[in-house]
Amino acid sequence: MSRVSVAYQDHVAHVTLTRGDKMNALDDAMIKALLSAGQEVAASDARAVVLSSEGKSFCAGLDMASFAKMAHMDPTEWLMTRSHEDANEMQELALIWRRVPVPVICAIQGVAYGGGLQIALGADIRIAHPEAKLAVMEMKWGIIPDMGGMVLLPRLVRSDVLRLLTYTARPIGAPQAAEWGLVTQLSDDPLTEALTLAENIAGQSPSAIRAAKRLIEVAETQSRADILMAESAEQVELIGKPDQMEVVMAQMQGRKPVFK
């Protein structure tokens, strides 16, 4: 049974978790399918990506069979191996969406718990249903967030909020998550909102959008000097180039730009 589907329309890639009958819980097949989907859209000519799930919930985290399997594995070999640049396989489930060179918008309904939340955090933007619930759930099982959460969470929430969520494993509602920075905005129809936003982004200059995502990553992680240099270097590659000239002409002619 397929765990993830990938569809393309109007330069938007739509990645859908399709294990809705199991709250899209993560098993080996889902993990491999998600990594494959991320690699596929990263190599495509998509200009934006929507990440969503079938069923009542976005993703409830690891399924119980995966927890049982952990008891029979060597955690050192499993987790310390860097299989994806600076990350292991589990960390890449979240970080791959940051490696995708175009914006990723995640639509959240139901629950996003544990690994499910960390996958959502890998997206550039998160749109959640007002009744959705989110949790850094790992402490409930006697473990810590280890799927890139400690790279992503400190960029989004205050230290005290991070500690509260991590120490307690307490689910919070989407309105609270939005106030604290885990969720970008709320919508009664998060998938439609995400698709509309992706369509808008896909209509911008493809080269400028990719440059902006690269630059934001530098801005969030590098020194002042590196950021200033990256601004200049990225801009040099945009000014006067075909995409930028098409944007200017379209603005002057009162039409939508058409990019080759």
Side-chain angles (χ1 to χ4, degrees), residues 108-249:
I108 302 171
Q109 80 284 4
V111 306
Y113 288 167
L117 174 59
Q118 290 175 86
I119 289 168
L121 295 177
D124 296 75
I125 296 164
R126 285 158 296 286
I127 302 174
H129 190 279
E131 296 181 0
K133 293 188 178 298
L134 300 84
V136 180
M137 188 63 77
E138 284 76 11
M139 191 61 65
K140 178 179 178 179
W141 305 106
I143 56 177
I144 56 163
D146 68 338
M147 288 174 51
M150 288 303 164
V151 171
L152 302 167
L153 281 163
R155 302 184 190 182
L156 298 170
V157 302
R158 303 188 317 254
S159 177
D160 59 328
V161 171
L162 170 59
R163 292 164 190 268
L164 174 67
L165 294 171
T166 303
Y167 297 158
T168 66
R170 182 187 304 162
I172 60 170
Q176 180 68 77
E179 182 179 334
W180 280 346
L182 290 175
V183 165
T184 312
Q185 67 184 75
L186 304 177
S187 172
D188 289 332
D189 190 348
L191 178 54
T192 296
E193 189 77 19
L195 289 167
T196 300
L197 178 58
E199 182 181 358
N200 176 274
I201 292 171
Q204 310 297 329
S205 163
S207 54
I209 284 290
R210 287 174 176 244
K213 182 158 180 175
R214 288 193 299 268
L215 183 58
I216 290 169
E217 180 67 21
V218 171
E220 290 181 336
T221 59
Q222 302 300 317
S223 69
R224 170 191 169 100
D226 289 338
I227 295 165
L228 293 173
M229 185 60 73
E231 279 187 358
S232 301
E234 293 288 3
Q235 198 76 302
V236 164
E237 295 302 315
L238 297 174
I239 292 176
K241 302 301 192 296
D243 283 352
Q244 198 251 337
M245 297 306 296
E246 172 59 14
V247 169
V248 172
M249 292 301 297

Side-chain angles (χ1 to χ4, degrees), residues 49-52 58 104-108 119-120 123 125-128 190 194:
V49 179
V50 170
L51 179 61
S52 70
F58 174 69
V104 179
I105 303 107
C106 182
I108 302 171
I119 289 168
I125 296 164
R126 285 158 296 286
I127 302 174

